[in-house]
Amino acid sequence: MIEIKDLHKSYKMGSNSLHVLKGINFSVEEGELVAIMGSSGSGKSTLLNILGMLDELDEGSYTLDNVAIKNLNETKAAQYRNKFLGFVFQSFNLINYKSAVENVALPLYYQRVGRKERQEKALKYLEQVGLKEWATHLPSELSGGQKQRVAIARAMAAEPKVLLADEPTGALDSTTSYEVMDLIQKINDAGNTILVVTHEEDIAQMCKRIVHLKDGVIVEDKKVEQVRASQYV
Amino acid sequence: MRQLFDSDTWREIFQSIGKNRLRTFLTMLGVFIGIYIYIALSGAAKGLDNGFEKEFETVARNSMFIWAQTTSKPYAGFKTGRRIQLKLQDAEELRRQVPEIETLAPRNVSGVFGSSPGVITRGIKSGNYSVFGDFPEFTKIATKKIYDGGRFINDEDIKQERKVCVIGERTQKELFDVEENPIGGYLEIEDVSFQVVGVHKFSGGGPFDNDSDIFIPFTTYKKIYNTGDNVAWFTIAAYDDADVIKVEQDIKANLRRIHKVDPEDEKAIGSFNLGEQFKKIFGFSNGLTFLSLIVGIATILAGVIGIGNILLISVKERTKELGVRRALGATPTEVRNQILIEALFLTLLAGIIGIIMGALTLKGIDVFTQDVDLPYTNPTVPIPYVIGSLLLMVILGVLIGLIPAQRAVSIKPIDALREE
Ligand SMILES: Nc1ncnc2c1ncn2[C@@H]1O[C@H](COP(=O)(O)OP(=O)(O)OP(=O)(O)O)[C@@H](O)[C@H]1O
Ligand SMILES: [Mg+2]
């Protein structure tokens, strides 16, 4: 599903250059649930943003679902993001003047799905995250956990090949975090490929594979016995 | 284009402009005021224009009056202070020498300019009225509304020196009974019996006009008052495209030559140039129209720039939201168009409200000044001007919208998302 080879990325700041990713080799099969760990500043978000085509790599190759991701213009990148990828952010990034269901429907709007179908699909995904009753509420009327579930529903609505989550539980308390992880596990159970960046060991243990980043390289990559989040909920 | 006609686009736009009403309102205020001022001012200018036009509709625009006085300089053996008398033959000469003259009507009068008024009697009724000796051409310069059934003096009247007359409304009122039809009736001017052939409606405005006058054929006048070929003054209309001031000077120069007056003698020939006065008056309302155009365009421009500015701020405020949209698959074109349509929509909406309010104000002024004696009629803004100003706003709206639109997509999605 995902294949990266010898990936390099540095940030240029004036005359200085900060080499963040220094040769990453890494692949993900369909249906995997991967945790990316590492200390702060180790380049986890940078990696995820490149995978998400929000940022460009400097060197190396990236193949997503057998499509080489290279030299994309912004329009093409937008279309690929829309078609292949779902994003979940630490700070939810819901649009504050849109109701829950309108937020979920937004990627479908950019897919040019008709209004009625959009509404139906969005409601279906809201129901899957258990928030059907909250469909018409604005984000400001939802709790953090609820917001993140809306964000997950939004990421899933476009039926992406890969779900990318950057610290999805970073802003949540542990109970709510487990609820969100429970949801992510269920989505993964349904066959979706998911990458989760996290700081927290317990969250990482709820994935099926843990990749450790340190100083811009992968220092550890191991399969783990998945801990089910449902037991804590 | 697809986006422009997509109801979803509009839903998105309404949502985003509706979420911050104050900002939307302020955005629109500038353009609204601009177009409002433009419409109200240029409509008022048009109203003034119409008003003057109506006031003077009975008189040819580029007309003038020429009369003779006494010389103020000795010349060719003549002493100063010589009285000059205009002659009928002068008219022929002037027509030949000054091709810009369209119509020339020699006139005589008794009853104004110090001469004694004509005594008119009809049975036991009598009164003093101004009696004019006129050619039919006169009505080409100062139109006289003749009531139904009547007519003005014609060429046959002149040729046959007929004893016919056209009377004013007041003359009719004073000499005829209310139910009496004056046409065909007789009255006596200086003991000579005249038949009434027309009654003219009084229309104020033209100089030397009043409603107690009587017009008789020039040739008949000459006989009754024994004036020979003397002419009191010429009423002259120049062609529309002629320069009235130059025509006036030419005429006066010719008359000075004919009557052997020093070419430098400004006093000998008197004149009143109505055309010049008209020019001043219409120059004023043209100036007002021009001013309103300038003020209007400037304020619209300022308003549109204001919209651009506020949209720029709004785009900055929304950087993160736009980043999210792009992460979710919005292409740069879609983002750009959304901002552009927003700018266009706000500009047009503000403009249309401004036009409507401006039109209502004009209507209000019109109603208000209905009973007031002001040269102000039917203040309207020509449709092409309205369409023109709308077009201007569309163009400016799009152009100014391009700046925030470009800004919205110039930032990478990842940087947009990082924005706090
Ligand atoms: N846009 C940028 N410009 C310059 N430097 C950057 C930029 N983004 C990240 N960095 C730097 O690159 C390094 C890696 O950042 P990154 O966000 O990938 O770390 P991270 O592993 O996600 O850390 P955290 O756990 O704190 O989120 C950091 O040193 C950071 O300061
Ligand atoms: Mg990070």
Side-chain angles (χ1 to χ4, degrees), chain B residues 111-340:
Chain B
V112 288
F113 304 138
S115 63
S116 53
V119 181
I120 316 297
T121 53
R122 179 163 188 269
I124 50 162
K125 295 174 178 172
S126 84
N128 293 337
Y129 301 97
S130 313
V131 179
F132 291 89
D134 265 310
F135 283 97
E137 281 82 7
F138 177 61
T139 54
K140 286 189 194 152
I141 301 168
T143 38
K144 293 267 165 258
K145 270 229 173 67
I146 305 286
Y147 280 112
D148 282 353
R151 63 172 177 82
F152 197 70
I153 291 154
N154 63 26
D155 288 332
E156 281 305 303
D157 297 336
I158 298 286
K159 230 183 261 167
Q160 299 178 22
E161 302 171 4
R162 281 181 183 151
K163 298 185 185 66
V164 293
C165 65
V166 175
I167 61 175
E169 273 178 286
R170 204 178 89 201
T171 320
Q172 177 194 1
K173 247 177 245 148
E174 286 169 2
L175 295 181
F176 290 85
D177 293 333
V178 185
E179 63 277 12
E180 204 174 359
N181 182 5
I183 310 287
Y186 285 88
L187 44 76
E188 273 162 26
I189 304 173
E190 309 292 340
D191 298 328
V192 180
S193 183
F194 277 75
Q195 188 174 27
V196 176
V197 292
V199 176
H200 81 81
K201 185 173 162 44
F202 173 66
S203 58
F208 319 137
D209 250 3
N210 63 58
D211 57 347
S212 65
D213 44 18
I214 293 179
F215 301 91
I216 62 175
F218 191 90
T219 45
T220 319
Y221 184 98
K222 175 166 144 176
K223 266 175 96 179
I224 290 179
Y225 289 95
N226 212 3
T227 50
D229 283 337
N230 290 354
V231 173
W233 78 97
F234 294 122
T235 298
I236 297 170
Y239 282 103
D240 282 341
D241 51 359
D243 174 358
V244 280
I245 295 172
K246 186 185 166 289
V247 174
E248 177 190 359
Q249 283 165 352
D250 282 0
I251 289 170
K252 286 164 86 173
N254 271 291
L255 288 173
R256 280 195 285 264
R257 181 179 49 76
I258 295 166
H259 293 279
K260 300 196 168 57
V261 176
D262 186 330
E264 305 284 296
D265 190 345
E266 292 296 332
K267 287 255 173 70
I269 308 292
S271 64
F272 177 79
N273 195 331
L274 202 59
E276 199 187 337
Q277 307 303 317
F278 273 123
K279 257 196 174 159
K280 283 185 193 151
I281 291 170
F282 285 98
F284 173 68
S285 66
N286 279 344
L288 201 61
T289 308
F290 184 68
L291 181 76
S292 63
L293 195 69
I294 297 293
V295 171
I297 288 177
T299 34
I300 289 174
L301 199 67
V304 172
I305 290 173
I307 286 192
N309 247 327
I310 295 183
L311 276 178
L312 208 56
I313 296 169
S314 133
V315 160
K316 202 163 158 37
E317 270 173 10
R318 289 165 65 192
T319 305
K320 182 142 191 181
E321 176 201 326
L322 295 174
V324 172
R325 284 173 182 272
R326 287 166 74 186
L328 295 178
T331 62
T333 314
E334 282 170 317
V335 173
R336 200 184 293 126
N337 286 352
Q338 186 182 341
I339 308 287
L340 266 186

Side-chain angles (χ1 to χ4, degrees), chain A residues 45-193:
Chain A
S45 297
T46 306
L47 177 61
L48 205 72
N49 290 336
I50 289 172
L51 293 176
M53 293 177 232
L54 293 170
D55 209 346
E56 286 149 14
L57 52 82
D58 291 340
E59 265 175 57
S61 69
Y62 170 24
T63 316
L64 174 64
D65 198 32
N66 297 322
V67 179
I69 306 302
K70 212 179 155 188
N71 295 333
L72 295 180
N73 64 25
E74 191 31 53
T75 303
K76 204 87 202 132
Q79 286 161 354
Y80 280 3
R81 281 198 291 271
N82 189 250
K83 210 161 94 189
F84 293 137
L85 302 166
F87 292 94
V88 177
F89 305 95
Q90 177 176 0
S91 53
F92 324 126
N93 282 347
L94 298 177
I95 291 174
N96 57 18
Y97 58 88
K98 284 179 177 287
S99 67
V101 66
E102 283 167 343
N103 264 288
V104 175
L106 200 56
L108 298 168
Y109 168 72
Y110 290 116
Q111 279 186 349
R112 298 180 189 175
V113 173
R115 239 177 79 70
K116 219 170 148 228
E117 196 188 336
R118 223 158 58 206
Q119 183 78 6
E120 278 168 12
K121 265 195 168 173
L123 271 178
K124 190 183 96 184
Y125 282 98
L126 265 186
E127 189 171 19
Q128 279 184 17
V129 301
L131 289 175
K132 199 180 181 191
E133 291 74 41
W134 296 83
T136 57
H137 287 251
L138 290 175
S140 56
E141 296 159 0
L142 303 175
S143 73
Q146 286 173 324
K147 281 187 211 170
Q148 198 58 300
R149 275 145 67 193
V150 172
I152 291 171
R154 180 176 69 182
M156 294 309 296
E159 290 166 1
K161 300 221 184 293
V162 177
L163 187 64
L164 301 171
D166 195 349
E167 305 197 33
T169 62
L172 305 175
D173 64 36
S174 53
T175 323
T176 334
S177 297
Y178 297 145
E179 280 171 19
V180 167
M181 280 315 289
D182 182 37
L183 190 58
I184 286 176
Q185 286 179 340
K186 282 178 181 148
I187 292 167
N188 176 245
D189 292 344
N192 292 289
T193 313

